[in-house]
Amino acid sequence: MLSHLHISNFAIVRALEIDWAAGMSTITGETGAGKSIAIDALALCLGERADANVVRPGAEKADVVATFDISKLATAKDWLQQQDLLMGNECIVRRVVSAEGRSRGYINGVQVPAQQLKQLGQYLLAIHGQHAHQLLQKAEYQRQLLDAYTAQPELLQQTKQSYRYWQQLQKEYLELQQSQQQRDAQRQLLEYQVAELDQFAPQVDEFQQLEIEHSRLSHGNTLLTQSQACLLQLYDGDDHTIYRALSQVSQQLEQLVCLDPALKEVQQMLNDALMQTEEASRELRRYADKVELDPERLQWIDERLGLWLNLARKHQVSFEELPNLHAQLAQQLAQLTDSDSRLNELQLAITQAEKAYQIAATKLTDARKEAAIELSSLIAHNMHELSMANARFAINVQSQALAFANAHGLDLVSFEVSTNPGQPLQALSKVASGGELSRISLAIQVILADKITTPTLIFDEVDVGISGPVAAGVGRLLRQLGQSTQIICVTHLPQVASQGHQQLFVEKYTDGQATETRMRQLQDEERIQEIARLLAGENISANALANARELLCSPIV
């Protein structure tokens, strides 16, 4: 629950400190005094849009700090724990807005974006404004209210997710189907290209290897004759070969080494040269034996290289890239073939997804219809409490055809009311007056607030347009709700203000140059005076004071 609120330089508030208690707190004051200023400050503190207009004229910044007791708020604690912002059983939320319009938010001293303030705020309090009854005429809002009472968030989420998945599959199927003609033309081209390349079958590095082989075959005669000539000079000649000359020199040095060992190293080098020459001769002989003169093979390589270059030029790639292109085109053709298979898969998946959505939506419809009966009865009861004794209320849940499906299910939810005997139930927007809408809205808000168990509920002049016995009924409903939930109610009605467990008074001061709003808690005699003022205006009579005492002495316990 909200335990303390500090406001500094916000709008026409210079400085304000308010301690809040459990139960029902009412806020009253003269028209224009700024009775809703604390509510506006709380909304800002919990993430509402901020601009420079909220800063008191002449001040550098506006500062709002709200302190909450979260010892019994498990959901708020869990959220704070997940964000690493939990600090015991107290939560301090702060919002600072500069005169330039820049704002900063803090949770337990840690700076956070406004979005996180909003996320936390939903676990701490809910604000019901005086214009809430206008939303009540909208079908979407009526469905949201029923869903809030139905309290089936998992079923709502399941319906939404199954619908989105179903729509996603349908979108993919439509896109594939629309591109079918284009894919057919592309497939024909790819089939021709892949077949041509399959027949040619280019291999990685094949072109380079063919070039090497082509060079060897085209110069076969030269390679054979020249290698044989080299072999003759090196080893196979009859008289003057390199090997024989080296051998003779080595023998001469061997004799000289006996005379001078210093020549031993030179003689060893010549021996090594002899061995290398002999090995080179053997290798050269083997090479000469393998040299082929194959004109048919040479012709085939010529043709193969020509085809290779033609295909590379045709596909506008280098000859090295042709094998990779072949693989890419084959992959594209396979993907197009897979697209046809995907169409068949999607047809089956769409049927299954549609069935899953229908199951979820039907369960949601059943849950809504069951909740609608119970909620209709509760609303009708509260309407009777609010001096609408002859009123009837019903929530009509009508399931639509699958063609009208959406993420919220298949249902049209309509709030219907009859305010006079003999009149049939009709749509709320057609038969209810503004005052009746306000009462019905309040009746619904009280019921849903109790159902949802929001820790702090703020009602900002939701009793506009009602008076007399109706106002007394509103006061009783709010006080009853205050037994289990902290209620803060801004009101101008004495019947509502007197039902509060405590009452705060808002007043405006001016010195002719500046205006300031203040708020303070009223003591017993002060409450009597304020209730009497609400009853009779500024000229408070003895009867008004007596009526005020009577109202304060007879609240619903």
Side-chain angles (χ1 to χ4, degrees), residues 435-452:
E436 289 169 337
L437 277 173
S438 292
R439 280 181 272 173
I440 296 170
S441 175
L442 181 60
I444 294 172
Q445 289 176 40
V446 169
I447 293 167
L448 291 180
D450 188 35
K451 179 78 173 179
I452 301 171

Side-chain angles (χ1 to χ4, degrees), residues 273-316:
L274 280 168
M275 295 176 60
Q276 292 289 331
T277 301
E278 188 174 9
E279 180 63 28
S281 300
R282 283 196 294 269
E283 290 298 322
L284 192 54
R285 187 179 297 108
R286 280 194 289 268
Y287 175 80
D289 291 341
K290 290 180 180 179
V291 171
E292 293 181 326
L293 301 177
D294 191 345
E296 293 183 359
R297 173 68 178 175
L298 179 61
Q299 182 180 356
W300 180 87
I301 292 176
D302 271 332
E303 294 173 354
R304 178 76 176 171
L305 289 174
L307 283 173
W308 195 295
L309 292 171
N310 287 336
L311 285 171
R313 187 164 46 252
K314 180 178 181 179
H315 291 283
Q316 298 182 343

Side-chain angles (χ1 to χ4, degrees), residues 232-247:
L232 286 173
Q233 294 178 30
L234 190 63
Y235 192 87
D236 286 352
D238 294 333
D239 298 320
H240 304 293
T241 64
I242 293 172
Y243 181 82
R244 180 167 297 182
L246 286 173
S247 178

Side-chain angles (χ1 to χ4, degrees), residues 374-388:
E374 184 179 338
L375 181 57
S376 297
S377 176
L378 291 172
I379 292 173
H381 174 76
N382 278 2
M383 289 168 64
H384 299 160
E385 290 286 316
L386 297 175
S387 299
M388 298 177 72

Side-chain angles (χ1 to χ4, degrees), residues 319-531:
F319 61 83
E320 297 98 334
E321 295 173 328
L322 197 60
N324 288 335
L325 176 68
H326 182 201
Q328 291 171 7
L329 293 177
Q331 184 179 9
Q332 291 176 18
L333 180 59
Q335 288 174 346
L336 283 179
T337 305
D338 289 343
S339 295
D340 292 339
S341 301
R342 180 59 178 162
L343 278 173
N344 296 330
E345 292 174 3
L346 282 171
Q347 284 182 321
L348 178 60
I350 288 170
T351 301
Q352 294 173 341
E354 179 184 309
K355 184 177 180 180
Y357 169 77
Q358 285 182 299
I359 292 173
T362 301
K363 289 181 180 178
L364 183 57
T365 298
D366 294 340
R368 282 172 172 162
K369 287 182 176 179
E370 183 179 349
I373 295 172
E374 184 179 338
L375 181 57
S376 297
S377 176
L378 291 172
I379 292 173
H381 174 76
N382 278 2
M383 289 168 64
H384 299 160
E385 290 286 316
L386 297 175
S387 299
M388 298 177 72
N390 296 315
R392 292 183 296 137
F393 188 90
I395 299 176
N396 183 19
V397 180
Q398 183 179 357
S399 188
Q400 302 180 98
L402 194 62
F404 299 96
N406 59 59
H408 307 294
L410 293 168
D411 304 322
L412 279 178
V413 177
S414 175
F415 285 13
E416 299 177 350
V417 66
S418 171
T419 56
N420 297 306
Q423 287 186 337
L425 288 166
Q426 296 184 56
L428 189 66
S429 58
K430 293 182 178 180
V431 296
S433 65
E436 289 169 337
L437 277 173
S438 292
R439 280 181 272 173
I440 296 170
S441 175
L442 181 60
I444 294 172
Q445 289 176 40
V446 169
I447 293 167
L448 291 180
D450 188 35
K451 179 78 173 179
I452 301 171
T453 62
T454 305
T456 298
L457 289 173
I458 297 175
F459 293 91
D460 188 6
E461 297 199 46
V462 294
D463 49 16
V464 169
I466 61 175
S467 59
V470 178
V474 170
R476 286 195 298 271
L477 283 178
L478 291 175
R479 186 174 178 93
Q480 287 174 354
L481 188 56
Q483 303 300 320
S484 58
T485 303
Q486 184 185 38
I487 301 295
I488 299 172
C489 180
V490 177
T491 183
H492 66 287
L493 297 176
Q495 297 92 334
V496 176
S498 62
Q499 291 291 341
H501 296 92
Q502 48 274 327
Q503 184 173 345
L504 296 101
F505 180 69
V506 179
E507 51 194 341
K508 185 164 61 176
Y509 292 88
T510 180
D511 59 4
Q513 295 181 341
T515 302
E516 181 179 337
T517 289
R518 300 175 185 175
M519 182 183 294
R520 58 188 175 85
Q521 185 167 337
L522 298 178
Q523 303 305 316
D524 293 343
E525 284 301 316
E526 292 176 312
R527 285 196 75 180
I528 294 172
Q529 289 288 328
E530 173 61 5
I531 297 299

